[in-house]
Short mmCIF file of all heavy atoms in Angstrom, two decimals:
data_model
loop_
_atom_site.label_atom_id
_atom_site.label_comp_id
_atom_site.label_asym_id
_atom_site.label_seq_id
_atom_site.Cartn_x
_atom_site.Cartn_y
_atom_site.Cartn_z
N LEU A 7 122.86 84.08 52.64
CA LEU A 7 121.93 82.93 52.86
C LEU A 7 120.86 83.01 54.03
O LEU A 7 119.80 82.61 53.83
CB LEU A 7 122.72 81.61 53.04
CG LEU A 7 123.56 81.13 51.93
CD1 LEU A 7 124.34 80.00 52.28
CD2 LEU A 7 122.77 80.95 50.68
N CYS A 8 121.17 83.79 55.05
CA CYS A 8 120.39 83.93 56.18
C CYS A 8 119.07 84.56 55.86
O CYS A 8 119.04 85.67 55.25
CB CYS A 8 121.03 84.68 57.36
SG CYS A 8 119.99 84.86 58.81
N GLN A 9 117.99 83.95 56.23
CA GLN A 9 116.68 84.45 56.04
C GLN A 9 115.92 84.88 57.37
O GLN A 9 114.75 85.24 57.35
CB GLN A 9 115.78 83.41 55.28
CG GLN A 9 116.30 83.17 53.90
CD GLN A 9 116.26 84.24 53.02
OE1 GLN A 9 115.24 84.94 52.83
NE2 GLN A 9 117.37 84.65 52.29
N GLY A 10 116.61 84.77 58.41
CA GLY A 10 116.08 85.18 59.77
C GLY A 10 115.13 84.13 60.29
O GLY A 10 114.11 84.55 60.98
N HIS A 11 115.23 82.94 60.17
CA HIS A 11 114.29 81.92 60.80
C HIS A 11 114.42 81.86 62.22
O HIS A 11 113.54 81.33 62.83
CB HIS A 11 114.56 80.55 60.13
CG HIS A 11 114.21 80.44 58.65
ND1 HIS A 11 112.89 80.29 58.25
CD2 HIS A 11 115.00 80.34 57.62
CE1 HIS A 11 112.90 80.31 56.84
NE2 HIS A 11 114.16 80.36 56.52
N THR A 12 115.44 82.35 62.87
CA THR A 12 115.73 82.47 64.32
C THR A 12 115.95 81.13 64.99
O THR A 12 116.28 81.09 66.20
CB THR A 12 114.59 83.17 64.99
OG1 THR A 12 113.45 82.25 65.21
CG2 THR A 12 114.16 84.39 64.42
N LEU A 13 116.07 80.03 64.29
CA LEU A 13 116.30 78.79 64.86
C LEU A 13 117.64 78.66 65.47
O LEU A 13 117.89 78.09 66.64
CB LEU A 13 116.16 77.57 63.84
CG LEU A 13 114.83 77.45 63.27
CD1 LEU A 13 114.80 76.40 62.17
CD2 LEU A 13 113.74 77.07 64.37
N CYS A 14 118.68 79.26 64.94
CA CYS A 14 119.98 79.29 65.57
C CYS A 14 120.10 80.00 66.87
O CYS A 14 120.67 79.49 67.83
CB CYS A 14 121.08 79.91 64.60
SG CYS A 14 120.81 81.64 64.11
N SER A 15 119.33 81.11 66.99
CA SER A 15 119.40 81.81 68.23
C SER A 15 118.50 81.20 69.26
O SER A 15 118.72 81.35 70.45
CB SER A 15 118.88 83.29 68.01
OG SER A 15 117.57 83.27 67.58
N MET A 16 117.57 80.27 68.90
CA MET A 16 116.81 79.52 69.91
C MET A 16 117.65 78.39 70.30
O MET A 16 117.62 77.94 71.52
CB MET A 16 115.54 78.92 69.31
CG MET A 16 114.49 80.09 69.09
SD MET A 16 112.92 79.42 68.64
CE MET A 16 113.11 79.33 66.92
N THR A 17 118.55 77.82 69.42
CA THR A 17 119.31 76.57 69.69
C THR A 17 120.66 77.05 70.58
O THR A 17 120.96 76.39 71.47
CB THR A 17 119.78 75.98 68.43
OG1 THR A 17 118.72 75.55 67.67
CG2 THR A 17 120.73 74.69 68.75
N ALA A 18 121.18 78.13 70.21
CA ALA A 18 122.44 78.59 70.89
C ALA A 18 122.37 80.20 71.13
O ALA A 18 123.04 80.90 70.44
CB ALA A 18 123.67 78.36 69.91
N PRO A 19 121.52 80.59 72.08
CA PRO A 19 121.22 81.98 72.29
C PRO A 19 122.51 82.69 72.81
O PRO A 19 122.53 84.00 72.59
CB PRO A 19 120.17 82.03 73.35
CG PRO A 19 120.25 80.63 73.97
CD PRO A 19 120.72 79.74 72.93
N ASP A 20 123.51 82.11 73.38
CA ASP A 20 124.70 82.76 73.74
C ASP A 20 125.58 83.01 72.64
O ASP A 20 126.54 83.94 72.78
CB ASP A 20 125.46 81.95 74.88
CG ASP A 20 124.68 81.70 76.11
OD1 ASP A 20 123.79 82.64 76.47
OD2 ASP A 20 124.85 80.86 76.81
N VAL A 21 125.44 82.36 71.50
CA VAL A 21 126.32 82.48 70.37
C VAL A 21 125.77 83.36 69.26
O VAL A 21 126.42 84.23 68.69
CB VAL A 21 126.70 81.08 69.80
CG1 VAL A 21 127.67 81.20 68.58
CG2 VAL A 21 127.38 80.31 70.90
N PHE A 22 124.40 83.16 68.97
CA PHE A 22 123.77 83.81 67.81
C PHE A 22 122.75 84.81 68.36
O PHE A 22 121.83 84.43 69.07
CB PHE A 22 123.11 82.83 66.92
CG PHE A 22 123.99 81.83 66.35
CD1 PHE A 22 124.24 80.58 66.83
CD2 PHE A 22 124.61 82.19 65.18
CE1 PHE A 22 125.19 79.75 66.32
CE2 PHE A 22 125.65 81.27 64.52
CZ PHE A 22 125.87 80.05 65.20
N HIS A 23 122.92 85.98 67.93
CA HIS A 23 121.90 87.11 68.22
C HIS A 23 121.26 87.48 66.86
O HIS A 23 121.71 87.14 65.87
CB HIS A 23 122.59 88.33 68.87
CG HIS A 23 123.05 87.99 70.27
ND1 HIS A 23 123.60 88.98 71.04
CD2 HIS A 23 123.11 86.86 71.01
CE1 HIS A 23 123.93 88.43 72.21
NE2 HIS A 23 123.65 87.10 72.15
N LEU A 24 120.16 88.21 66.96
CA LEU A 24 119.42 88.66 65.75
C LEU A 24 119.52 90.16 65.67
O LEU A 24 119.40 90.87 66.64
CB LEU A 24 118.02 88.24 65.84
CG LEU A 24 117.79 86.68 65.98
CD1 LEU A 24 116.26 86.45 66.17
CD2 LEU A 24 118.39 85.99 64.79
N ARG A 25 119.72 90.65 64.44
CA ARG A 25 119.91 91.98 64.24
C ARG A 25 118.45 92.77 64.33
O ARG A 25 117.54 92.19 63.82
CB ARG A 25 120.55 92.37 62.95
CG ARG A 25 121.95 92.01 62.84
CD ARG A 25 122.60 92.80 61.70
NE ARG A 25 122.03 92.37 60.38
CZ ARG A 25 122.56 91.57 59.56
NH1 ARG A 25 123.68 90.99 59.76
NH2 ARG A 25 121.91 91.32 58.33
N ASP A 26 118.39 93.86 64.86
CA ASP A 26 117.17 94.66 65.03
C ASP A 26 116.51 94.94 63.65
O ASP A 26 115.33 95.02 63.47
CB ASP A 26 117.39 95.83 65.92
CG ASP A 26 117.55 95.51 67.37
OD1 ASP A 26 117.17 94.36 67.78
OD2 ASP A 26 118.16 96.21 68.06
N ASP A 27 117.33 95.36 62.73
CA ASP A 27 116.92 95.93 61.46
C ASP A 27 116.32 94.95 60.53
O ASP A 27 115.22 95.24 59.95
CB ASP A 27 117.99 96.71 60.75
CG ASP A 27 119.28 95.88 60.44
OD1 ASP A 27 119.47 94.86 61.11
OD2 ASP A 27 120.04 96.33 59.60
N ASP A 28 116.84 93.74 60.46
CA ASP A 28 116.25 92.79 59.51
C ASP A 28 115.95 91.40 60.10
O ASP A 28 115.52 90.56 59.43
CB ASP A 28 117.19 92.64 58.25
CG ASP A 28 118.60 92.17 58.61
OD1 ASP A 28 118.84 91.71 59.75
OD2 ASP A 28 119.41 92.14 57.63
N GLY A 29 116.36 91.22 61.38
CA GLY A 29 116.07 89.97 62.00
C GLY A 29 117.07 88.88 61.62
O GLY A 29 116.91 87.62 62.07
N HIS A 30 118.13 89.22 60.93
CA HIS A 30 119.10 88.16 60.49
C HIS A 30 119.99 87.89 61.56
O HIS A 30 120.30 88.75 62.35
CB HIS A 30 119.79 88.58 59.28
CG HIS A 30 118.95 88.51 57.97
ND1 HIS A 30 119.44 88.68 56.73
CD2 HIS A 30 117.55 88.31 57.87
CE1 HIS A 30 118.46 88.60 55.89
NE2 HIS A 30 117.38 88.31 56.53
N ALA A 31 120.67 86.68 61.65
CA ALA A 31 121.50 86.30 62.65
C ALA A 31 122.92 86.72 62.50
O ALA A 31 123.34 86.94 61.30
CB ALA A 31 121.49 84.69 62.80
N TYR A 32 123.53 86.90 63.65
CA TYR A 32 124.93 87.20 63.54
C TYR A 32 125.58 86.51 64.80
O TYR A 32 124.98 86.21 65.76
CB TYR A 32 125.30 88.65 63.67
CG TYR A 32 124.91 89.35 64.85
CD1 TYR A 32 125.81 89.59 65.92
CD2 TYR A 32 123.68 89.94 65.06
CE1 TYR A 32 125.54 90.29 67.08
CE2 TYR A 32 123.28 90.56 66.14
CZ TYR A 32 124.21 90.80 67.10
OH TYR A 32 123.83 91.38 68.30
N VAL A 33 126.99 86.19 64.68
CA VAL A 33 127.73 85.56 65.79
C VAL A 33 128.10 86.65 66.78
O VAL A 33 128.69 87.71 66.41
CB VAL A 33 128.98 84.82 65.29
CG1 VAL A 33 129.75 84.27 66.42
CG2 VAL A 33 128.51 83.72 64.30
N ALA A 34 127.65 86.52 68.09
CA ALA A 34 127.85 87.47 69.12
C ALA A 34 128.98 87.20 69.97
O ALA A 34 129.10 87.82 71.07
CB ALA A 34 126.61 87.53 69.91
N VAL A 35 129.86 86.37 69.67
CA VAL A 35 130.91 86.04 70.40
C VAL A 35 132.29 86.33 69.62
O VAL A 35 132.23 86.29 68.36
CB VAL A 35 131.05 84.59 70.94
CG1 VAL A 35 129.81 84.24 71.81
CG2 VAL A 35 131.02 83.65 69.81
N THR A 36 133.33 86.57 70.36
CA THR A 36 134.63 86.84 69.69
C THR A 36 135.61 85.66 70.02
O THR A 36 136.66 85.57 69.24
CB THR A 36 135.15 88.03 70.13
OG1 THR A 36 135.31 88.19 71.51
CG2 THR A 36 134.32 89.27 69.64
N GLU A 37 135.37 84.88 70.96
CA GLU A 37 136.23 83.77 71.32
C GLU A 37 135.76 82.40 71.01
O GLU A 37 134.66 82.09 71.50
CB GLU A 37 136.59 83.85 72.79
CG GLU A 37 137.63 82.87 73.23
CD GLU A 37 138.13 82.96 74.68
OE1 GLU A 37 137.72 83.90 75.31
OE2 GLU A 37 138.86 82.04 75.14
N PHE A 38 136.29 81.80 70.05
CA PHE A 38 135.71 80.49 69.57
C PHE A 38 136.22 79.30 70.34
O PHE A 38 137.08 78.59 69.87
CB PHE A 38 135.86 80.40 68.10
CG PHE A 38 135.24 81.45 67.26
CD1 PHE A 38 135.98 82.53 66.88
CD2 PHE A 38 133.86 81.52 67.08
CE1 PHE A 38 135.30 83.54 66.07
CE2 PHE A 38 133.18 82.51 66.45
CZ PHE A 38 133.85 83.52 65.99
N THR A 39 135.62 79.09 71.54
CA THR A 39 136.00 77.94 72.37
C THR A 39 135.45 76.77 71.81
O THR A 39 134.55 76.73 71.06
CB THR A 39 135.40 78.29 73.94
OG1 THR A 39 134.05 78.29 73.80
CG2 THR A 39 135.97 79.52 74.46
N PRO A 40 135.80 75.60 72.41
CA PRO A 40 135.22 74.31 71.96
C PRO A 40 133.71 74.31 72.13
O PRO A 40 133.06 73.76 71.38
CB PRO A 40 135.99 73.25 72.86
CG PRO A 40 137.27 73.88 73.16
CD PRO A 40 136.99 75.41 73.29
N GLU A 41 133.23 74.93 73.24
CA GLU A 41 131.80 74.99 73.49
C GLU A 41 131.13 75.81 72.59
O GLU A 41 130.02 75.47 72.08
CB GLU A 41 131.58 75.51 74.91
CG GLU A 41 132.08 74.67 76.04
CD GLU A 41 133.55 74.79 76.37
OE1 GLU A 41 134.24 75.71 75.90
OE2 GLU A 41 134.12 73.90 76.98
N VAL A 42 131.69 76.90 72.04
CA VAL A 42 131.08 77.73 71.05
C VAL A 42 131.09 77.02 69.65
O VAL A 42 130.04 77.05 68.95
CB VAL A 42 131.82 79.05 70.94
CG1 VAL A 42 131.46 79.82 69.74
CG2 VAL A 42 131.60 79.96 72.14
N ILE A 43 132.16 76.32 69.41
CA ILE A 43 132.12 75.53 68.11
C ILE A 43 131.06 74.54 68.14
O ILE A 43 130.38 74.33 67.15
CB ILE A 43 133.55 74.90 67.95
CG1 ILE A 43 134.65 75.99 67.70
CG2 ILE A 43 133.47 74.00 66.73
CD1 ILE A 43 134.45 76.90 66.54
N GLU A 44 130.88 73.73 69.20
CA GLU A 44 129.86 72.78 69.35
C GLU A 44 128.60 73.34 69.23
O GLU A 44 127.61 72.78 68.52
CB GLU A 44 130.02 71.99 70.66
CG GLU A 44 129.01 70.85 70.88
CD GLU A 44 128.97 69.96 69.74
OE1 GLU A 44 129.94 69.58 69.07
OE2 GLU A 44 127.87 69.44 69.36
N ALA A 45 128.24 74.45 69.93
CA ALA A 45 126.91 75.14 69.73
C ALA A 45 126.78 75.61 68.34
O ALA A 45 125.64 75.47 67.82
CB ALA A 45 126.90 76.39 70.78
N GLY A 46 127.85 76.10 67.63
CA GLY A 46 127.62 76.49 66.27
C GLY A 46 127.31 75.23 65.40
O GLY A 46 126.39 75.37 64.50
N ARG A 47 127.89 74.02 65.68
CA ARG A 47 127.48 72.92 64.91
C ARG A 47 125.99 72.56 65.12
O ARG A 47 125.36 72.18 64.21
CB ARG A 47 128.45 71.79 65.33
CG ARG A 47 129.70 71.91 64.67
CD ARG A 47 130.50 70.55 64.84
NE ARG A 47 131.86 70.76 64.23
CZ ARG A 47 133.02 70.89 64.95
NH1 ARG A 47 133.04 70.72 66.24
NH2 ARG A 47 134.19 71.09 64.30
N ARG A 48 125.59 72.59 66.34
CA ARG A 48 124.19 72.32 66.82
C ARG A 48 123.20 73.21 66.06
O ARG A 48 122.29 72.80 65.38
CB ARG A 48 123.82 72.33 68.13
CG ARG A 48 124.42 71.17 69.01
CD ARG A 48 123.82 71.07 70.38
NE ARG A 48 123.92 72.44 71.10
CZ ARG A 48 124.99 72.78 71.89
NH1 ARG A 48 125.99 72.04 71.95
NH2 ARG A 48 124.85 73.94 72.46
N ALA A 49 123.57 74.47 65.98
CA ALA A 49 122.69 75.50 65.35
C ALA A 49 122.77 75.36 63.87
O ALA A 49 121.75 75.48 63.21
CB ALA A 49 123.21 76.94 65.76
N ALA A 50 123.96 75.01 63.35
CA ALA A 50 123.99 74.80 61.90
C ALA A 50 123.11 73.64 61.34
O ALA A 50 122.48 73.71 60.37
CB ALA A 50 125.47 74.45 61.41
N SER A 51 122.91 72.63 62.25
CA SER A 51 122.08 71.53 61.88
C SER A 51 120.62 71.88 61.85
O SER A 51 119.83 71.25 61.35
CB SER A 51 122.27 70.34 62.83
OG SER A 51 121.72 70.61 64.10
N THR A 52 120.23 72.98 62.49
CA THR A 52 118.80 73.54 62.49
C THR A 52 118.56 74.47 61.40
O THR A 52 117.37 74.78 61.17
CB THR A 52 118.44 74.14 63.93
OG1 THR A 52 119.10 75.44 64.00
CG2 THR A 52 118.89 73.30 65.02
#
């Protein structure tokens, strides 16, 4: 589904990074703390 709009990485730059090859987002953390989950929810809404 990701089209590389970059809104998630602007909303939660510590959680979402963009791949160099296609600009699509990926989750850059391995520990899903409550703060990361909340940031994920905020980014999902964008």
Side-chain angles (χ1 to χ4, degrees):
L7 295 177
C8 179
Q9 296 294 308
H11 292 286
T12 77
L13 296 174
C14 61
S15 67
M16 288 189 276
T17 301
D20 294 336
V21 177
F22 298 95
H23 292 182
L24 303 175
R25 289 199 302 258
D26 291 334
D27 58 341
D28 61 8
H30 289 188
Y32 65 93
V33 175
V35 299
T36 56
E37 188 175 345
F38 297 104
T39 64
E41 294 80 14
V42 168
I43 296 298
E44 181 54 35
R47 286 191 178 111
R48 282 196 313 274
S51 73
T52 71

